[in-house]
Amino acid sequence: MSRFQFNAVHGDALTLLRSLPASRPPLAFFDPQYREMLDKLAYGNEGERQRESCALPAMTRDYIDACCREIARVPQPSGYPMLWSDTFRVGTGAHLRIADILPCVDLIAWDNLRSGNGYRSRRRGGYLVVLQKPPLCAKAAWRDHRIPDEWREKVDRRTHPHAKPVDLIARLIGAVTKPGDLVVDPAAGGFTVMHVATEMQRWFVGCDIACGGAP
């Protein structure tokens, strides 16, 4: 076990965020469990086809916004909260509800190479909304300028129904943190961010309410 791993537990995202001191980590990932798009599209077979996904406790819109506003307090100035989203939330501007404290400075489209549902186009991946705590400053806080805004990477859904791209996470950690920095993930799922961060010699703090603890 890496000496950089610490405080990865079973717990509530908002409770964890409220317990953290302000102005410390340069990077936080947040992958909220939402069902707005699926509820809107009302796929009749979604529960049967996505049993593991539907079993995860859903977060309300207000709860997600509260977590984002708490995340805004935690990072150091010019730090980056990274918000995973889908077509519905991006298209309806969900991230704009927190734009007064966390402006969107970039958007990365992730293609997971696996076609999903969709009444028109087929859902294939998602989006990473790149937010930044003021003051906005790209040159001082972002060192890897070769990350494409369209990222193709398969994931192993056997590890977690909402598994996220490991290589992209590693590039982002390398872009905005240095060895010894802290990375936060309050809805850690399969703890992919933890594994990547500790392998890269970063500290990690995170939790997930739907697991018995960190792997």
Side-chain angles (χ1 to χ4, degrees):
M1 181 179 294
S2 168
R3 70 181 182 88
F4 287 95
Q5 177 178 328
F6 82 106
N7 201 12
V9 297
H10 171 252
D12 174 73
L14 192 54
T15 301
L16 173 68
L17 290 168
R18 286 172 173 168
S19 72
L20 298 178
S23 301
R24 187 177 179 191
L27 177 63
F29 289 92
F30 184 36
D31 184 13
Q33 170 63 10
Y34 45 80
R35 289 188 52 82
E36 289 174 289
M37 182 177 71
L38 298 181
D39 291 342
K40 185 73 173 179
L41 296 176
Y43 289 114
N45 62 351
E46 191 64 32
E48 178 63 24
R49 294 179 64 247
Q50 299 288 346
R51 289 187 297 271
E52 292 182 356
S53 177
C54 292
L56 298 174
M59 297 177 179
T60 66
R61 175 183 294 189
D62 289 343
Y63 179 88
I64 293 171
D65 289 351
C67 286
C68 288
R69 290 187 174 277
E70 199 62 35
I71 287 174
R73 179 189 62 82
V74 174
Q76 63 189 31
S78 300
Y80 286 96
M82 307 278 184
L83 177 63
W84 290 103
S85 192
D86 63 10
T87 305
F88 181 81
R89 288 181 60 81
V90 169
T92 56
H95 58 283
L96 298 179
R97 295 196 298 268
I98 56 169
D100 57 316
I101 54 172
L102 285 177
C104 174
V105 295
D106 212 333
L107 182 68
I108 298 174
W110 165 46
D111 179 359
N112 66 6
L113 307 177
R114 178 179 180 271
S115 292
N117 291 317
Y119 282 145
R120 297 175 183 85
S121 61
R122 309 297 290 182
R123 306 292 179 247
R124 204 164 106 159
Y127 295 91
L128 188 64
V129 182
V130 181
L131 309 171
Q132 189 174 28
K133 182 175 181 176
L136 306 186
C137 181
K139 292 184 178 180
W142 190 292
R143 290 177 293 277
D144 185 349
H145 298 283
R146 295 189 176 184
I147 299 175
D149 66 355
E150 296 183 5
W151 187 275
R152 293 164 58 91
E153 182 179 344
K154 289 183 178 180
V155 297
D156 185 357
R157 289 175 178 262
R158 294 172 299 179
T159 62
H160 192 271
H162 291 304
K164 292 300 184 289
V166 175
D167 292 344
L168 175 57
I169 290 170
R171 286 288 294 273
L172 294 169
I173 290 175
V176 302
T177 71
K178 299 177 181 178
D181 281 343
L182 176 64
V183 178
V184 174
D185 187 356
F191 286 88
T192 298
V193 172
M194 180 193 74
H195 292 303
V196 176
T198 55
E199 286 177 3
M200 296 177 68
Q201 298 185 329
R202 274 68 167 173
W203 294 100
F204 173 86
V205 59
C207 68
D208 196 272
I209 201 167
C211 72

